[in-house]
Amino acid sequence: MRKEKNMVLRRRRIQDSRADKAFYAVNGVVMVLLFVLYAWPLWFVLIASVSDPNLVQAGEVLLWPKGFHLEGYKLIVEYKDILRGYFNSVVYTVAGTAINLVMTIFAAYPLSRKDFMPRKTLAALFIFTMYFSGGLIPTFLQVKNLGLYNTPWAMMIPCAVSIYNVLILRSFFMYGIPASLEEAAVLDGANTAQMLWHVMLPLVKPTLAVLVLYYAVGHWNDYFSALIYLKDKELMPLQTVLRDILIVGKIDMQTGGMEMEAIIQKMKQAQTLKYSVIVVSTVPLMLVYPFIQKHFVKGIMVGAVKG
Amino acid sequence: MRKKEAKKKAGAVRDKRKDSFLQRLIKDLKTNHILYLMILPVLAYYVLFSYVPMTGIQLAFKNYRIKDGIWGSPWVGLAHFRRFFSSYNFSTLIWNTLAISVYCLIIGAVIPVLFSVLINYIRSSKWKKTLQMVTYLPYFISTVVLVGMLGIFLGDSGIINVFLEKLGLESIPFLSSGKLFRGVYAWSGAWQSLGYSSVIYIAALSGVDQQIHEAAIVDGASIWRRIWHIDLMELRPTMLVLLIMSLGSLINVGYEKVLLMQNSLNTSTSEILSTYIYKVGLINSDYGFSTAVGLFNSLVSMVLLLVANRVSKKLAGYSLW
């Protein structure tokens, strides 16, 4: 019987083979092109960062590094703005994400508890801000009024919690944990804090990992907050320095007192800096990704369904 | 008799509810005090950073003076709005915003669906995983780096133009012409978000019962027919909901990327509402006018969202609220 079915399938496949074969062939080509479209730009930046800038500029570098040297990475170490920006970004990302995580748990857990009386009112109050806000200027003035302007706090407090992520975590608290477990904990005499710490949080660890990823990527890649709320160069995060190097083309080199040729040499090196700085700023995040890929996809799913 | 009794009972319940609201609140405060403590900072955050700024919207009708503050500045009525509506770039701003938005909307609706349908027909699961993985990677690239990479590859002396010149072809001003700005903006956005936005479609497709496909094959359906009648039918509800919802944010184009991509050569198409609000407000410090334009933007998108939600409820049975 089964054999017969297989026979039928095979016969059909042979019959339809021309159209289907064409499809698979075209699909294969499209996918290879797509792969190149994604992998090559990323790969190119990587190899250009360790290649001779002259050869890169001349279009000689295509698939493999040429004239291998690490000049670009040496420049990063010498370039004070980048190091400071890197340090600032690490601080903003770590501290900001910690604040985000605590606030998100503090919001999501009460809102998930059916016996918490004002939960519907508060949820509505929070969700409303998703659709309507004061806008750029009133928010800016409020940040100024609170004395956060031009302080590191301006990079963390105005985005202390995202309602979108609160909703994701809340749905995990509500539907991802068997009710019997809660009952058991209550019977064992756990109070609210103990319940949250010992029962709920360990169970939503994967979700928390995804939220940490979302928040951390957001902080690390944030340049607009700095553009609006910061003034001092000492406070600037990496992304602002990157913007100066990559887009504005403003590179602050100590060129005073140098010969013309030396300056030109420096300018050429600066070209490599563009590549190395992209690698150094982006690779750390990409390296984290494979470890939580599984949860990441799940997180997007929940977000898509809830949002 | 029975009716009366029922009425009485209902009344009693209502009374009980009425006079016990405060009592219930107190009781709830006692039993759930930890929950109240937890949510207090969150509430404070939303009040301070969302609701207080909402009171600042009055600036749209005021002439802001630093020494008087938001509340003390004099009212000017609709002067800012009149100035905005009659300004020479009003129609350009609206047109640019909508054009770029619709462009992104169409690409954003079609490409992820196309990609997930095609990737679904890849037989080697290793290759499939590699492709998915590689399309996720750009999610981690910041807007600054993305625009920087656009410069590296598509700039006037970028890699692509170097290759074109090598081949004896004319170079293409990807980043320095108003004509190409929208295309570069939309397609680079699609490049960055493809992996992320196709996740939900890929998951939906992997949920399709393989027997349906087998039955279709037995019935002699070609792949094209299977894509059309099985896969796309499966994705239709999701597509519809996402499309309708993105209609709601038609006028809300983020300014981060546009600002970074903007230069004097492409402002004819790259100046949109949000970048205008930013420039007038924070660069020129014309707070009242900027707030007015921002309020206009919020109101239009609010209306669009409400309409979209209505349509979605009717067509797809899905509502945001």
Side-chain angles (χ1 to χ4, degrees):
Chain A
M1 183 67 192
R2 196 164 179 187
K3 211 174 175 184
E4 218 169 288
K5 203 180 165 192
N6 278 343
M7 287 283 284
V8 172
L9 278 178
R10 201 169 302 150
R11 213 170 52 220
R12 285 290 169 192
R13 202 166 272 172
I14 289 164
Q15 258 181 21
D16 293 338
S17 69
R18 208 185 281 165
D20 288 6
K21 250 187 192 165
F23 173 84
Y24 279 112
V26 171
N27 192 20
V29 171
V30 168
M31 286 299 156
V32 169
L33 287 179
L34 200 75
F35 180 79
V36 171
L37 192 65
Y38 275 88
W40 183 69
L42 302 173
W43 175 244
F44 178 82
V45 170
L46 195 66
I47 58 173
S49 73
V50 292
S51 294
D52 186 334
N54 291 326
L55 295 175
V56 174
Q57 208 49 49
E60 298 282 327
V61 175
L62 196 60
L63 289 176
W64 302 109
K66 273 184 190 159
F68 183 85
H69 72 163
L70 294 170
E71 204 59 38
Y73 293 93
K74 254 190 237 157
L75 280 173
I76 288 182
V77 183
E78 287 169 17
Y79 200 158
K80 267 194 206 128
D81 285 1
I82 297 181
L83 288 183
R84 196 176 44 217
Y86 215 93
F87 174 77
N88 286 340
S89 278
V90 169
V91 172
Y92 297 152
T93 302
V94 172
T97 306
I99 294 174
N100 288 146
L101 199 62
V102 171
M103 289 286 275
T104 306
I105 294 170
F106 276 15
Y109 186 59
L111 293 183
S112 76
R113 289 279 300 255
K114 289 198 180 68
D115 62 331
F116 183 52
M117 222 177 86
R119 111 193 132 95
K120 278 192 179 151
T121 320
L122 288 175
L125 204 68
F126 298 164
I127 291 171
F128 180 68
T129 63
M130 258 170 124
Y131 303 113
F132 194 75
S133 72
L136 185 70
I137 297 298
T139 310
F140 169 75
L141 289 175
Q142 171 70 355
V143 169
K144 236 177 168 174
N145 281 342
L146 292 171
L148 299 176
Y149 182 74
N150 204 22
T151 68
W153 297 110
M155 297 296 290
M156 299 172 243
I157 305 292
C159 52
V161 61
S162 132
I163 182 65
Y164 191 74
N165 291 339
V166 170
L167 294 181
I168 290 179
L169 186 60
R170 183 184 73 157
S171 75
F172 271 92
F173 278 141
M174 283 169 86
Y175 311 115
I177 293 169
S180 53
L181 214 58
E182 279 176 68
E183 283 159 22
V186 172
L187 279 179
D188 284 346
N191 65 25
T192 314
Q194 285 169 325
M195 171 109 94
L196 177 64
W197 189 252
H198 294 291
V199 180
M200 305 303 249
L201 286 184
L203 286 170
V204 292
K205 254 189 207 160
T207 316
L208 294 181
V210 176
L211 295 187
V212 166
L213 180 79
Y214 281 169
Y215 280 127
V217 170
H219 282 293
W220 186 259
N221 288 342
D222 178 25
Y223 100 99
F224 205 69
S225 303
L227 189 67
I228 304 176
Y229 299 132
L230 296 183
K231 208 170 60 185
D232 286 353
K233 219 176 156 193
E234 282 70 38
L235 295 174
M236 288 301 174
L238 184 60
Q239 297 298 328
T240 312
V241 186
L242 282 179
R243 188 193 58 150
D244 288 346
I245 294 174
L246 292 174
I247 298 164
V248 185
K250 188 184 84 185
I251 296 174
D252 206 3
M253 290 280 188
Q254 273 78 42
T255 46
M258 261 197 246
E259 294 291 317
M260 198 57 207
E261 234 161 72
I263 293 177
I264 290 173
Q265 191 56 34
K266 265 257 147 83
M267 294 301 274
K268 266 183 191 155
Q269 291 174 342
Q271 277 300 322
T272 350
L273 187 65
K274 280 191 177 184
Y275 299 103
S276 57
V277 94
I278 290 181
V279 173
V280 168
S281 68
T282 312
V283 164
L285 285 182
M286 290 187 176
L287 286 183
V288 181
Y289 170 66
F291 294 102
I292 44 176
Q293 180 182 9
K294 223 171 87 194
H295 306 310
F296 178 71
V297 173
K298 235 188 216 163
I300 301 176
M301 287 296 298
V302 176
V305 172
K306 287 282 125 192
Chain B
M1 186 64 192
R2 213 184 278 160
K3 238 183 184 173
K4 235 182 188 173
E5 226 164 67
K7 237 182 182 174
K8 228 179 177 177
K9 227 179 180 176
V13 168
R14 214 180 297 135
D15 282 348
K16 209 173 163 189
R17 241 189 235 160
K18 238 182 195 169
D19 62 34
S20 68
F21 174 77
L22 215 83
Q23 283 174 334
R24 276 196 309 150
L25 190 69
I26 291 168
K27 204 177 144 207
D28 197 43
L29 268 169
K30 264 182 200 155
T31 46
N32 286 331
H33 59 276
I34 296 180
L35 297 181
Y36 281 91
L37 274 179
M38 278 171 86
I39 209 139
L40 196 65
V42 183
L43 182 63
Y45 166 79
Y46 277 107
V47 169
L48 282 178
F49 290 96
S50 292
Y51 286 94
V52 171
M54 279 182 210
T55 67
I57 289 176
Q58 56 181 291
L59 277 181
F61 309 98
K62 283 185 163 182
N63 216 350
Y64 183 71
R65 289 196 302 226
I66 296 175
K67 65 178 164 64
D68 296 326
I70 293 175
W71 294 90
S73 295
W75 294 93
V76 292
L78 295 172
H80 294 309
F81 289 95
R82 242 176 270 132
R83 192 179 129 203
F84 177 52
F85 292 140
S86 60
S87 75
Y88 71 98
N89 51 10
F90 172 72
S91 53
T92 320
L93 281 175
I94 300 284
W95 167 247
N96 282 348
T97 309
L98 287 179
I100 208 167
S101 184
V102 170
Y103 201 143
C104 290
L105 187 83
I106 293 170
I107 290 180
V110 172
I111 300 293
V113 171
L114 205 65
F115 172 66
S116 37
V117 167
L118 291 181
I119 204 176
N120 195 37
Y121 282 95
I122 286 180
R123 284 170 173 149
S124 151
S125 66
K126 243 188 193 169
W127 175 223
K128 202 168 163 178
K129 268 191 191 136
T130 314
L131 272 169
Q132 271 192 285
M133 169 93 179
V134 108
T135 48
Y136 285 146
L137 283 181
Y139 170 79
F140 298 96
I141 295 176
S142 73
T143 317
V144 173
V145 169
L146 183 77
V147 177
M149 282 174 72
L150 286 178
I152 286 172
F153 289 101
L154 303 177
D156 288 343
S157 55
I159 304 301
I160 302 292
N161 277 329
V162 168
F163 285 144
L164 285 179
E165 267 167 44
K166 262 187 167 179
L167 296 170
L169 297 167
E170 232 171 278
S171 63
I172 304 169
F174 291 106
L175 303 179
S176 49
S177 92
K179 249 187 212 161
L180 295 172
F181 170 78
R182 280 180 203 130
V184 174
Y185 178 88
W187 285 101
S188 62
W191 181 80
Q192 188 170 26
S193 63
L194 177 63
Y196 190 85
S197 45
S198 55
V199 164
I200 185 162
Y201 295 122
I202 292 174
L205 284 179
S206 69
V208 175
D209 190 348
Q210 274 309 302
Q211 285 183 350
I212 299 176
H213 276 289
E214 274 164 29
I217 293 169
V218 171
D219 286 346
S222 69
I223 285 193
W224 298 108
R225 295 206 142 234
R226 275 157 59 203
I227 288 177
W228 186 256
H229 292 290
I230 303 172
D231 296 337
L232 288 181
M233 287 307 116
E234 181 73 21
L235 298 183
R236 204 170 63 169
T238 321
M239 275 165 69
L240 197 64
V241 169
L242 291 183
L243 188 72
I244 292 168
M245 277 359 312
S246 49
L247 282 178
S249 54
L250 208 54
I251 204 170
N252 276 332
V253 181
Y255 36 66
E256 295 201 13
K257 197 171 148 198
V258 179
L259 267 185
L260 288 169
M261 285 179 69
Q262 212 168 50
N263 53 48
S264 53
L265 296 165
N266 64 21
T267 34
S268 60
T269 53
S270 70
E271 191 74 295
I272 58 171
L273 271 174
S274 53
T275 56
Y276 186 66
I277 293 166
Y278 167 77
K279 282 184 191 163
V280 172
L282 289 181
I283 309 281
N284 302 348
S285 295
D286 197 345
Y287 289 170
F289 184 62
S290 175
T291 310
V293 181
L295 180 60
F296 169 77
N297 193 358
S298 295
L299 289 179
V300 172
S301 66
M302 200 74 182
V303 170
L304 284 173
L305 186 75
L306 288 173
V307 171
N309 197 46
R310 253 288 159 75
V311 174
S312 163
K313 218 180 199 170
K314 272 241 166 93
L315 286 182
Y318 175 86
S319 160
L320 273 175
W321 296 283

